[in-house]
Amino acid sequence: MTLPTLLVLDADPPPRLGRLTGRARVLHTDDEGLAALLPEADVLLVWDFRSRAVRDAWPGKGPRPAWVHTASAGVDHLMCPELAASGTVVTNARGVFDQPVAEYVAALVLAAAKDLPRTVEFQRNRVWRHRETRRVAGTRACVVGSGPIGRAVAATLKALGVTPALVGRVPRTGVHGPADLDRLIARADWVIAAAPLTDRTRGMFDAHRFGVMQPSAVFVNVGRGELVDEPALAEALRRRWIAGAALDVFTTEPLPADSPLWDLPGLLVSPHMSGDTAGWRDELGAQFVELYERWAAGRGLVNVVDKKRGYVPGH
């Protein structure tokens, strides 16, 4: 019996795929070798979810994998017109990052409300400075992105006494539509970006949106860097149109050392780590193995991405 060929676009450390021994012919590649090996693959595992090599290699000659899985929630790094138009099934890591990201957002909200960054700074400089801080309970949040991550963020903030409003692509019970966004962010204390990157969401947080927000509002982005017009955010912080911001994702990653974002007043920078808790890579590997077993048995895959929309529908 000929084993299916599984091609892994690697990152360090590589995935643990021991359960697939004897059940798949596993090949490993980096960005440079991907194009040459794609025609051999029945399945492609994009373990290096920061790589954009799939977008470059996919339009080449030869057959293409029947199934592509990315070890990430977003799929913008691999989608290209040729892949979107193909019969290839694309799945993502939906479900792995929901609660970790929600906890991270809650930590950022609490840190901003309780002025923890300045407390650390004052301690480092041996300064005793009493201040008053904000109460979190009773505040409002606008969570943009109604998928599993956005819903987990809303539920976690609600547990802190925050009143959350979810905004999604299509209005439905419990979810506001895009037409309500300006109205909701205008009265929100916390504006959380957790949307997928699509043509509709790219650059959605621009000078207009930051101008609509309250001067006391804090903006948090745990979605994709390209959701934000970064120069517009920088201007909003310098002019104190908003009270502060926390970015875990950026248009360019890693964030260059000479980026002006590092020195902006009121901006907390973190290196795309909001969903990465201890053992997260093992969870991603185990999720893929379970999906592979479904695929090999001829059962329907879950976490199937709508390639035109750029996310898993139904949320």
Side-chain angles (χ1 to χ4, degrees):
M1 181 181 70
T2 303
L3 295 176
T5 297
L6 166 61
L7 178 61
V8 182
L9 179 57
D10 264 333
D12 189 32
R16 296 183 180 182
L17 302 174
R19 280 169 52 188
L20 300 185
T21 301
R23 304 164 69 183
R25 171 179 173 247
V26 181
L27 304 177
H28 295 265
T29 187
D30 56 14
D31 287 5
E32 293 182 0
L34 179 63
L37 290 174
L38 262 183
E40 297 185 40
D42 298 296
V43 180
L44 172 64
L45 168 58
V46 184
W47 188 249
D48 184 359
F49 52 81
R50 291 184 173 88
S51 170
R52 294 182 176 268
V54 175
R55 298 175 64 173
D56 297 328
W58 195 271
K61 296 180 180 180
R64 290 296 180 256
W67 169 34
V68 174
H69 178 77
T70 179
S72 60
V75 299
D76 51 279
H77 59 292
L78 57 86
M79 293 304 299
C80 61
E82 292 80 4
L83 174 54
S86 72
T88 296
V89 176
V90 176
T91 57
N92 72 354
R94 183 186 189 195
V96 172
F97 300 108
D98 307 355
Q99 193 56 37
V101 172
E103 292 172 3
Y104 198 86
V105 170
L108 292 173
V109 166
L110 288 168
K114 303 308 177 185
D115 200 23
L116 294 185
R118 284 209 304 166
T119 295
V120 172
E121 180 183 351
F122 288 148
Q123 178 181 351
R124 184 182 298 116
N125 295 318
R126 298 174 182 260
V127 174
W128 181 277
R129 184 169 299 173
H130 180 270
R131 291 103 65 214
E132 294 179 345
T133 62
R134 299 175 66 181
R135 186 191 294 265
V136 172
T139 60
R140 296 174 181 266
C142 178
V143 181
V144 184
S146 59
I149 290 176
R151 293 199 302 269
V153 168
T156 302
L157 292 179
K158 188 174 183 180
L160 295 175
V162 178
T163 300
L166 271 172
V167 178
R169 179 177 177 270
V170 178
R172 55 198 183 277
T173 302
V175 178
H176 297 269
D180 293 330
L181 180 57
D182 284 0
R183 175 177 63 83
L184 292 171
I185 65 175
R187 63 180 187 176
D189 301 283
W190 319 102
V191 179
I192 317 298
L197 180 63
T198 68
D199 289 340
R200 292 189 176 197
T201 61
R202 189 182 305 274
M204 67 185 301
F205 290 99
D206 55 11
H208 165 74
R209 292 269 158 71
F210 292 121
V212 168
M213 295 178 195
Q214 300 183 76
S216 59
V218 172
F219 174 73
V220 177
N221 187 13
V222 290
R224 283 290 181 268
E226 292 92 334
L227 298 177
V228 178
D229 179 337
E230 291 177 347
L233 173 61
E235 185 72 3
L237 288 169
R238 292 191 189 102
R239 291 180 177 270
R240 302 188 184 279
W241 291 349
I242 59 175
L247 302 180
D248 186 55
V249 287
F250 300 85
T251 300
T252 300
E253 296 183 7
L255 187 64
D258 61 353
S259 170
L261 295 177
W262 289 105
D263 300 315
L264 280 176
L267 177 61
L268 180 64
V269 170
S270 60
H272 204 148
M273 59 181 284
S274 61
D276 301 347
T277 52
W280 65 283
R281 291 185 178 86
D282 290 340
E283 288 186 57
L284 289 172
Q287 180 188 56
F288 172 74
V289 169
E290 290 176 7
L291 285 171
Y292 184 91
E293 290 171 344
R294 292 179 66 97
W295 176 81
R299 298 162 57 202
L301 289 167
V302 297
N303 290 7
V304 176
V305 172
D306 182 322
K307 294 183 292 181
K308 302 296 185 183
R309 296 182 183 179
Y311 55 87
V312 179
H315 59 264

